[in-house]
Every structure is written in structure tokens, then in C-alpha cells.
Amino acid sequence: MTLLLMLIGLLLLLALRVPVSFALLIPSLVYVLTDRNLTIGTAFQQTVSGVDSFAILAVPMFILLGNLANVSGVTDKLYDFAVAAIGHLRGSLGYVNVATSFGFSWMSGAAIADAAAMGRVQVPAMVQRGYKPEFALGVTGASSLIAPMIPPSIPAIIYAVTAGVSVGALFMAGVVPALVLVAALCLTVWFLTRKQEELRLPRSTWKTRGRTAVAALPAAGSAIVILGGILSGVFTPTEASGIGVIYILVLALAYKTLTWRKMYRTLLTSVETTGSVLLIVAAAALFGWVLAREQAPQVAANLILELTNQPIVFLILVNVLLLVVGAVLEPTAAILILVPVLAPVAETFGIDPIHLGIMVIFNLLIGLITPPVGLVLFVLSSVTRIPVPTVIKGILPFFVPMVVTLLIITFLPVMTLGLPTVLGFM
């Protein structure tokens, strides 16, 4: 009965547009205050424990890294190289959009940052060269979901801390699914532009390709620094975040694109984003502790086992649940609420927590482009000043590659577990 009341309270607060952190905190505090065996000190201790983690330190650093890369011109270098390399193909700017997002993903662990950067640069460029606004918005929104799959991934850090798994293993587990998503998006671009011969750019000279490749090399170096350090064991993912920030900062100073005003705004934006994320993490820690105290995982396991004892059916049910939740909750909040319940149940079905993690993350990322609360939709609308209904119309065809990628992730565990196993993370 207590669990039911807490969930009803949470849903009511969310329906009233109360911020997610307070929607999690209020029912939890009511629970603590009405239990004679608990004190407010207990609530404080559990709340603080949610952010008292070395791995969590990577979140603000990777947020800052992505924002620095965004304002320092790194994105422009990647974009110029992609245009020079594949601009002569039919529908080339669609491929350029995906390729640039893939390159930027190694520096940005958040879809919102990718959507803001790519939307501001690439949507106007595509429309100017004859692409329909709907197509430009659709491919930009869909390709922004690559960022949280590729390390450094902020949702991966949040899941790893919540589920108690290796951040490095989860980072590596997302690489192959991200490549599958890139391939699926490129096939969709080909299909949608296959009859439009006018969507080509003049073939770049080898001199231009070489010049843009050299200019893009320092940007690509961030991926080598971050991943190389983690894979070689020189530093942890958390330490890699700090090294990555220093690398991009040096790069920005070398480009002479980072003014004091831009630096101030970048730091301010990073602090605001970090504050909102960590406040949710702290509130969810108390909420999760209450759920565990009331044996919510065991209750959920019993309910699901009454429905099915087949792992495949369980995975299908989880996918449906996450797609619905992802449409109304941002990934960080959804991970913190659901993973403490789903992970123990998945374990009873013999599902690897790393496999479950990538599945959970990608499901919730689809929610970022799903109405009514898809944050990427509103970010694209804001930076391009194009109405949200037009953005939604453009996104719709790209749900096909998203669903195909989700099915591959769900039913082929080797796609997620293969690379971390080969690299010795599992």
C-alpha cells in the first residue's frame, strides 16, 4: 500500500509539472517523516550518498567538455572535413550530419548538446542547399542520439552508478550499438534521398580534403586521449573526463575562439546543467532507498514472474515500459527511478546488467525525440525557430531505424557484450 501511494504521489506531482527532483523528494520525505523508526537525518544521509561517488564526478566534467567543444569551433572543423570527404554523394549533407554527430559524440555525452550544436549549424546549411526543413530536422534529431551511446556517455555513468556496474564496461558496450545506429541512419538517408540528384555538392579537390582532414585531426585527438587512457588503464573514466576538459581547453585557446565572455557563459551553462542533473540524482537516491526498504524489486519480480517466465517476453515488456516512460521523463530521472527495480528482476532472468544498461539507455533516448516531452524536439525548434509540429513531422521517418536498432540491441546481446569482453572489461 505504501509503494502504491508513493507512486501515485510521484505521478500526480509530475502531472502538475513539479520539477522531477522535487517530485521524487516530496513523497520520500513524507515517507520518512511518517515512519517512527526513521529520522530526517536518515533522509539527509541517503540523499547525500547519491552524489557521494567518484564516478559521478565525471558528469560535470563531461558536460563542461561538451560545452567547450561546442563553443570552441571543434564542431565546425569536423563538419568541414565531412563535407569535403563525402559532399559529392547524393543526399550528402544527410550523411555529413550523421558523420559530424558521430565525431562530436566522442566529446559530448548528451543528446541535447549535440542537437543544439548540430541544429544551429547544419539545419540552416541543409535548407539553404535545397533540403526540405523536415528532412534536415529529422536527421539532426535522430543523429543527436548517437552522443549518449558513445563514450563519454552521461546516461551510461548514471546507470553504472545506479546499478553498481563498471563505467568502462558500459562505455565500451555502447560503441557497437552506436555504429549500428550510424549505419541504420545512413541507410535511411539513402532511401529518402535516392531519387534527388540535385542534392549533391561539387566534388572537393584532394587538396581541400587534406587541408580539412588536418584541421579536424586535433578534434579527433580528444577521442584518442579519452578512450586511449581508459583502455590502456592509465586513468579511470572519471580522470579521463578531467584530462578531456584540459585537452579541449588547450585546443580552444590554440584556435583563439574562446573569449572570456564565451568562457563565462560556458561555465555558467555547465553549472546549471550539472546542478539540475545532480539534484535529480540526489533526490532519486532517497526515493530508491525507500523503494528498496519497501522491497519494491521483490514485488516487481513477483508480478513479472506471474506474467511470464520467459526472458524474451520480459525484454519485450521492459521495452514497452521504457518507451512509454521515456516519452514523459528525461533519461536521467527514468534511469534513477526504474533501474533499482528492473536490474534485480533482470538478474533473475539471467540478463547481463551491461546488456540491460545499453537497452535501457537507448530506449530512453528514443523518448528524447518522442512527443509530448521529447526534449530534443524543443531544442531543435528553439535553435532553428521552426515550429515543433514541423520538427515532429521530420522525425517520424527516422523512428524506423531507431526501432530496428533497438531490436538488434535487445535480442543480440553479443552486440553490446562482445567489445567489453574482448577488451577485458568483463
Side-chain angles (χ1 to χ4, degrees), residues 139-155:
V139 70
T140 302
S143 62
S144 73
L145 303 193
I146 299 170
M149 297 292 289
I150 293 282
S153 165
I154 292 171

Side-chain angles (χ1 to χ4, degrees), residues 99-187:
T100 308
S101 288
F102 180 72
F104 185 61
S105 294
W106 297 98
M107 293 164 278
S108 167
I112 303 301
D114 188 288
M118 300 301 115
R120 190 176 291 110
V121 174
Q122 301 204 55
V123 172
M126 293 178 73
V127 173
Q128 187 178 4
R129 289 185 169 98
Y131 290 80
K132 292 181 180 179
E134 293 87 349
F135 175 79
L137 290 162
V139 70
T140 302
S143 62
S144 73
L145 303 193
I146 299 170
M149 297 292 289
I150 293 282
S153 165
I154 292 171
I157 296 170
I158 301 297
Y159 177 92
V161 172
T162 306
V165 298
S166 164
V167 175
L170 207 56
F171 273 3
M172 294 304 107
V175 173
V176 174
L179 293 173
V180 171
L181 177 59
V182 168
L185 291 177
C186 287
L187 283 172

Side-chain angles (χ1 to χ4, degrees), residues 390-420:
T390 304
V391 181
I392 295 172
K393 183 180 178 182
I395 286 285
L396 288 177
F398 290 91
F399 275 101
V400 176
M402 295 292 172
V403 172
V404 170
T405 304
L406 177 59
L407 292 174
I408 291 173
I409 291 172
T410 301
F411 298 114
L412 292 176
V414 68
M415 302 298 287
T416 56
L417 303 180
L419 186 60

Side-chain angles (χ1 to χ4, degrees), residues 79-382:
Y79 177 74
D80 292 342
F81 171 62
V83 170
I86 58 178
H88 59 282
L89 301 175
R90 186 192 302 115
S92 57
L93 290 189
Y95 301 115
V96 167
N97 198 313
V98 177
T100 308
S101 288
F102 180 72
F104 185 61
S105 294
W106 297 98
M107 293 164 278
S108 167
I112 303 301
D114 188 288
M118 300 301 115
R120 190 176 291 110
V121 174
Q122 301 204 55
V123 172
M126 293 178 73
V127 173
Q128 187 178 4
R129 289 185 169 98
Y131 290 80
K132 292 181 180 179
E134 293 87 349
F135 175 79
L137 290 162
V139 70
T140 302
S143 62
S144 73
L145 303 193
I146 299 170
M149 297 292 289
I150 293 282
S153 165
I154 292 171
I157 296 170
I158 301 297
Y159 177 92
V161 172
T162 306
V165 298
S166 164
V167 175
L170 207 56
F171 273 3
M172 294 304 107
V175 173
V176 174
L179 293 173
V180 171
L181 177 59
V182 168
L185 291 177
C186 287
L187 283 172
T188 306
V189 169
W190 170 82
F191 180 80
L192 294 175
T193 62
R194 68 192 186 283
K195 296 180 181 179
Q196 297 174 274
E197 284 293 333
E198 71 278 9
L199 299 182
R200 292 180 187 266
L201 296 176
R203 186 184 292 269
S204 298
T205 63
W206 285 106
K207 182 179 179 180
T208 301
R209 292 178 184 178
R211 176 175 53 78
T212 55
V214 170
L217 277 177
S222 65
I224 297 173
V225 170
I226 293 170
L227 280 187
I230 295 173
L231 293 177
S232 63
V234 174
F235 38 72
T236 65
T238 301
E239 293 164 343
S241 65
I243 299 295
V245 167
I246 294 172
Y247 180 89
I248 293 295
L249 187 58
V250 171
L251 204 59
L253 294 174
Y255 289 158
K256 297 180 179 179
T257 54
L258 190 63
T259 64
W260 284 110
R261 183 180 294 273
K262 285 184 178 179
M263 186 64 184
Y264 173 75
R265 289 177 178 174
T266 300
L267 289 172
L268 187 62
T269 301
S270 301
V271 169
E272 289 175 348
T273 305
T274 300
S276 63
V277 170
L278 295 188
L279 188 58
I280 294 172
V281 172
L286 178 59
F287 189 83
W289 176 79
V290 172
L291 293 182
R293 192 169 187 269
E294 290 295 319
Q295 298 186 323
Q298 293 87 331
V299 173
N302 292 334
L303 288 173
I304 292 173
L305 289 172
E306 287 179 6
L307 293 173
T308 181
N309 58 0
Q310 298 296 320
I312 291 178
V313 177
F314 168 73
L315 290 174
I316 293 172
L317 292 173
V318 169
N319 277 328
V320 173
L321 171 66
L322 292 171
L323 287 173
V324 172
V325 171
V328 295
L329 274 183
E330 61 177 345
T332 298
I335 288 170
L336 291 165
I337 293 170
L338 295 176
V339 168
V341 176
L342 291 177
V345 181
E347 189 177 355
T348 64
F349 284 97
I351 297 167
D352 191 282
I354 299 295
H355 175 215
L356 178 71
I358 299 301
M359 195 181 84
V360 167
I361 290 168
F362 191 68
N363 260 295
L364 297 174
L365 292 181
I366 294 176
L368 290 175
I369 58 171
T370 305
V373 191
L375 293 179
V376 166
L377 304 176
F378 293 97
V379 168
L380 287 175
S381 176
S382 175

